[in-house]
Amino acid sequence: MKSSSFLAVLGLCVGAAVARPATDLLFQNNLNYTDDANHNSFLLLDQRSTQALAAQACRDGFSETLVSTPQAKSSMSDLVSLLTYYGTPSVWLADGILEVRDGKLKFGPAKKGSSLPALCTQSTKASLSFQPVNQSATTTVRNSATKNTFTGYRNLKSFRFLGIPYSNSPGRWEYSSLNPSRNQAYNATAFGPSCFQTGSSKYSEDCLFLNVFTSHLPADGARTTRQLKPTLVWIHGGAFTGGSGADNTFDGANMVSRGDVVQVTINYRLSTLGFLALPGTNITGNYGLADQITALEWVKHNIEYFGGDPSRVTIYGQSAGAGSVRALLASPPARSLFSAAIAGSNLGGYDYGTTYSKYYTIEQEYQAAGMAVVNASGCDGQADVVACLRAVPPSTLVNQSTVARFVVVDGKYIVADQLDVRDRSKTANVPTLWGVMAEDGAPFLPYVTAGETRPQALQSVLPSPYQQAATANTSLFPIPSSTTNSSLNLFNLTAQVGTDVIFRCVDQATVYSALNHGVFPNAWFYQFERSYQTPGFDVNAPTCDAPKTKERPNGDTRLPYLRCHSGDLYYEFGTLGESRLPYRDALDLDFTRLIMDYWSSFVRSHDPNPSADYLEKRGYVQTIDLIRKSGQWRPVGKSKQGSVRLLDVPPRQSTYQRQQQCEVEGLPVDLYEAGK
């Protein structure tokens, strides 16, 4: 029997269709989107062959050519870093051989009998998701088990497969299951519709789609663990009532090209369509959470064909997405589907945040939301309430004044009223990364009113049992004096306390107990001291924006401003360019590089500290310099002092933040310990 490599060469010789070899899209991403036009990307085909066959593989597989010597010389610095990192010291060019020796490119003539990988051009120059792309730059991935194919496209930085249906398209208030299709050809060049929520009429109930961003494609249809990349699955936030995996804030091109991972973004059902639960019926809630689990099952069965490693999956969510991560850590059907977790700005504690970390029973959810939904839909007193609700237009349900948005104890997906951080048999035992914004809670609070006093301000954010102690303690709860605006200073106080009781205290207590009971093998914690607020969520503006001055019209980050909820997202995904926003100063760019290098390192190794070898081979000199100056990000540890990375330029290490305040507020670091 002839070997597969011989058959591939034979196919080339006789002009037959050639299976795509393993391919890497190479782009030296410095995260400066204004500089993208000055850099080229390349396709590295990991199949050794003659120069003629290499040229044919570029042409037949991608409608590209072998890179010429002048083209390579125009990208010398980038190619040194890229070929060094990918361990490919010699490649075919159109007019010879390119070698990397002693950190320099060497050009030479073709040598008879040489068998080398191909370095192909990559002619698509679009680097941002809204820019038009070359319609011929399509690529098809084939799942050899299901025989399904997915045709996506590439831009300057990544291969992109959009709008992939991951489920069986369940009916309203039916649980999703894995897409059972076989022998289907999917056009994955455009996002699928987002799930119904308030706003646009473009939403759909048939919305369970995901998107894959990758820089590596295995050989066509191959099942292999070689060169597979760690995979990041992003779960969007939005109060369980809004959001989409198609939001370009979370575009994966920068993460995969700079961080050497695969990124997946998902849709899941929202609002009443995703979270309604009615006692005594078969509507038992958590449909949106179950959708997330179905998406993870799709990743398990399919991601290897897109270059991702199904055994190294990190789930990552922010806000309600972090609430989802917390729930998935507790969910029995989910625990085997991921190997690490990131929860950014997870809510808990008091007031609005409570239900993100402590779950209602179905009866409690009915009292909080379900009854109002039934009444507002005109279904109260109907012989068949469920049938009545199924007939209500989806836009009506999601636009009611009260909607269902709560994770509930349904007995299958969620079996207890909160994450168990003291029993490792009931929670996923995976490395975790947690953190908050310095004033995460500010957008969730009303701005202070004229004449409002300090006691009144504290009463507005604290439950009554803790108001007196906080009001009396002016040393722990002073009014900041960072600005000349007394109202803003008072709001700064409520923002700090609101951040404590909705975000910080519960998350620190979660990590403390989980580590001390061996639930998490390791954990890291952060607090953002620098932020860039997303325009779509800028409540109480401009308190969360760096003040604009004549000298710095885009915002002066040296002046006081609140570091608010969602102000971390542009840094984590490197997507300021997607919103056409400027870097306010040089530190914004350095900070973006540092944060993405931390986050992608956690996905690759389950440790946010990127290895020195990785940074050096990639040529990430700015991050090397910042880490050299600031030292390693230390894990939290088991002590009550903990360890927290304060993220700024440069970053610095500290302990759990505002522990004494959390104690006075009734949310101490040992909140989850026995007797508390």
Side-chain angles (χ1 to χ4, degrees):
M1 181 178 290
K2 296 180 175 67
S3 71
S4 58
S5 59
F6 177 84
L7 290 173
V9 173
L10 179 62
L12 281 168
C13 293
V14 300
V18 181
R20 183 194 66 246
T23 303
D24 290 288
L25 194 157
L26 311 184
F27 181 70
Q28 186 66 9
N29 195 337
N30 65 16
L31 292 181
N32 184 356
Y33 71 91
T34 66
D35 187 44
D36 285 347
N38 298 319
H39 295 265
N40 297 310
S41 59
F42 305 91
L43 298 173
L44 178 63
L45 310 190
D46 186 23
Q47 177 176 286
R48 292 178 175 273
S49 65
T50 66
Q51 187 181 38
L53 294 179
Q56 186 175 346
C58 293
R59 181 177 65 251
D60 291 354
F62 300 98
S63 300
E64 299 285 357
T65 64
L66 283 173
V67 172
S68 68
T69 294
Q71 288 171 323
K73 286 184 175 180
S74 71
S75 301
M76 291 184 69
S77 176
D78 289 355
L79 281 171
V80 168
S81 295
L82 291 165
L83 294 177
T84 299
Y85 176 69
Y86 280 89
T88 310
S90 301
V91 293
W92 282 122
L93 297 181
D95 46 0
I97 293 175
L98 170 63
E99 295 181 279
V100 180
R101 277 186 281 158
D102 301 322
K104 296 181 180 179
L105 295 186
K106 305 293 184 181
F107 298 88
K111 299 176 183 177
K112 186 176 181 180
S114 294
S115 181
L116 299 172
L119 185 66
C120 310
T121 57
Q122 197 299 107
S123 55
T124 300
K125 299 302 181 183
S127 64
L128 299 170
S129 65
F130 54 81
Q131 294 172 332
V133 297
N134 181 352
Q135 295 302 310
S136 67
T138 57
T139 300
T140 298
V141 163
R142 179 170 58 91
N143 181 320
S144 60
T146 64
K147 311 303 181 188
N148 292 328
T149 61
F150 308 89
T151 299
Y153 67 96
R154 65 184 183 273
N155 68 3
L156 183 70
K157 302 175 183 178
S158 66
F159 296 106
R160 307 160 69 82
F161 299 87
L162 312 178
I164 298 173
Y166 65 81
S167 86
N168 62 334
S169 298
R172 186 181 295 184
W173 299 311
E174 294 176 356
Y175 290 105
S176 58
S177 60
L178 191 63
N179 186 340
S181 66
R182 302 182 70 86
N183 299 300
Q184 294 295 309
Y186 291 103
N187 181 346
T189 60
F191 291 111
S194 298
C195 295
F196 257 105
Q197 54 198 278
T198 56
S200 171
S201 61
K202 297 180 181 179
Y203 301 134
S204 173
E205 285 193 81
D206 184 11
C207 62
L208 300 186
F209 298 93
L210 57 74
N211 316 291
V212 180
F213 306 85
T214 182
S215 63
H216 173 70
L217 296 177
D220 184 36
R223 301 203 69 170
T224 177
T225 58
R226 182 171 176 264
Q227 296 180 322
L228 293 181
K229 311 290 185 182
T231 299
L232 172 66
V233 177
W234 166 252
I235 304 170
H236 69 77
F240 292 125
T241 61
S244 171
D247 187 332
N248 63 5
T249 304
F250 321 123
D251 188 89
N254 287 312
M255 179 67 76
V256 304
S257 58
R258 184 175 175 95
D260 198 27
V261 300
V262 172
Q263 180 177 314
V264 178
T265 65
I266 68 172
N267 293 348
Y268 57 93
R269 284 174 287 179
L270 303 165
S271 187
T272 297
L273 296 168
F275 291 91
L276 181 66
L278 299 178
T281 75
N282 61 357
I283 299 180
T284 51
N286 292 339
Y287 299 97
L289 185 68
D291 294 340
Q292 297 169 13
I293 295 172
T294 302
L296 289 171
E297 290 175 342
W298 186 94
V299 168
K300 177 181 178 180
H301 292 285
N302 290 272
I303 202 63
E304 65 185 282
Y305 300 102
F306 297 83
D309 187 343
S311 70
R312 292 187 291 167
V313 173
T314 297
I315 56 173
Y316 171 27
Q318 180 264 354
S319 193
S324 296
V325 168
R326 189 181 182 101
L328 292 171
L329 286 165
S331 177
R335 289 181 211 160
S336 64
L337 298 174
F338 57 91
S339 57
I342 305 174
S345 298
N346 171 72
L347 299 92
Y350 304 140
D351 195 46
Y352 174 78
T354 303
T355 57
Y356 289 88
S357 293
K358 190 169 177 62
Y359 312 127
Y360 283 148
T361 64
I362 291 177
E363 179 60 41
Q364 288 171 327
E365 193 271 353
Y366 182 70
Q367 296 299 320
M371 183 186 301
V373 170
V374 171
N375 291 337
S377 301
C379 296
D380 184 37
Q382 294 293 313
D384 190 335
V385 172
V386 172
C388 177
L389 287 170
R390 291 190 193 280
V392 177
S395 59
T396 299
L397 290 171
V398 301
N399 282 288
Q400 291 171 347
S401 58
T402 298
V403 296
R405 58 171 184 83
F406 307 107
V407 174
V408 298
V409 181
D410 66 279
K412 177 181 179 180
Y413 297 101
I414 296 296
V415 296
D417 68 348
Q418 60 186 332
L419 179 70
D420 194 325
V421 290
R422 298 174 59 205
D423 186 342
R424 64 190 316 272
S425 70
K426 296 179 180 178
T427 298
N429 310 135
V430 298
T432 57
L433 175 62
W434 300 73
V436 299
M437 305 299 295
E439 289 85 32
D440 227 327
F444 298 87
L445 306 172
Y447 195 72
V448 296
T449 58
E452 188 169 344
T453 64
R454 176 178 169 276
Q456 290 171 330
L458 289 172
Q459 289 168 15
S460 71
V461 291
L462 281 174
S464 55
Y466 311 107
Q467 293 171 2
Q468 184 175 353
T471 301
N473 197 327
T474 55
S475 61
L476 288 181
F477 299 92
I479 298 176
S481 57
S482 53
T483 76
T484 58
N485 184 327
S486 59
S487 295
L488 180 57
N489 290 340
L490 184 59
F491 182 64
N492 192 345
L493 171 61
T494 61
Q496 291 176 18
V497 175
T499 300
D500 291 343
V501 301
I502 301 176
F503 295 94
R504 180 186 293 116
C505 302
V506 161
D507 287 352
Q508 290 181 164
T510 296
V511 173
Y512 170 76
S513 289
L515 288 171
N516 276 277
H517 292 280
V519 174
F520 299 153
N522 217 339
W524 288 261
F525 206 99
Y526 63 83
Q527 178 170 295
F528 271 83
E529 302 284 298
R530 185 182 186 90
S531 71
Y532 203 130
Q533 199 63 25
T534 54
F537 187 72
D538 201 1
V539 184
N540 295 317
T543 59
C544 300
D545 303 306
K548 296 179 179 180
T549 64
K550 185 176 181 180
E551 179 187 357
R552 298 195 176 190
N554 294 318
D556 191 339
T557 59
R558 300 169 300 180
L559 299 176
Y561 67 103
L562 303 185
R563 288 68 51 93
C564 299
H565 195 69
S566 298
D568 52 334
L569 296 173
Y570 286 134
Y571 296 124
E572 290 153 5
F573 291 93
T575 49
L576 273 174
E578 292 289 344
S579 294
R580 300 172 173 85
L581 292 173
Y583 289 107
R584 298 165 300 187
D585 52 39
L587 296 185
D588 261 345
L589 180 54
D590 285 345
F591 192 58
T592 303
R593 292 164 174 158
L594 175 69
I595 296 305
M596 181 169 284
D597 292 341
Y598 276 152
W599 260 241
S600 59
S601 175
F602 186 81
V603 177
R604 289 192 308 273
S605 65
H606 302 162
D607 182 333
N609 296 288
S611 73
D613 181 65
Y614 176 84
L615 294 174
E616 288 167 4
K617 285 182 177 177
R618 298 305 305 257
Y620 296 163
V621 294
Q622 294 87 1
T623 297
I624 290 173
D625 185 55
L626 282 173
I627 291 177
R628 184 180 294 124
K629 291 177 179 177
S630 61
Q632 293 286 292
W633 182 342
R634 295 195 296 273
V636 174
K638 295 183 178 181
S639 77
K640 281 195 172 182
Q641 284 68 47
S643 185
V644 174
R645 194 71 161 173
L646 302 180
L647 298 175
D648 204 341
V649 184
R652 59 194 189 278
Q653 206 69 29
S654 186
T655 58
Y656 284 138
Q657 299 294 285
R658 293 176 60 87
Q659 277 200 78
Q660 290 179 287
Q661 288 87 344
C662 290
E663 185 88 30
V664 173
E665 293 155 351
L667 298 169
V669 74
D670 59 356
L671 174 69
Y672 294 111
E673 294 305 295
K676 291 290 182 178

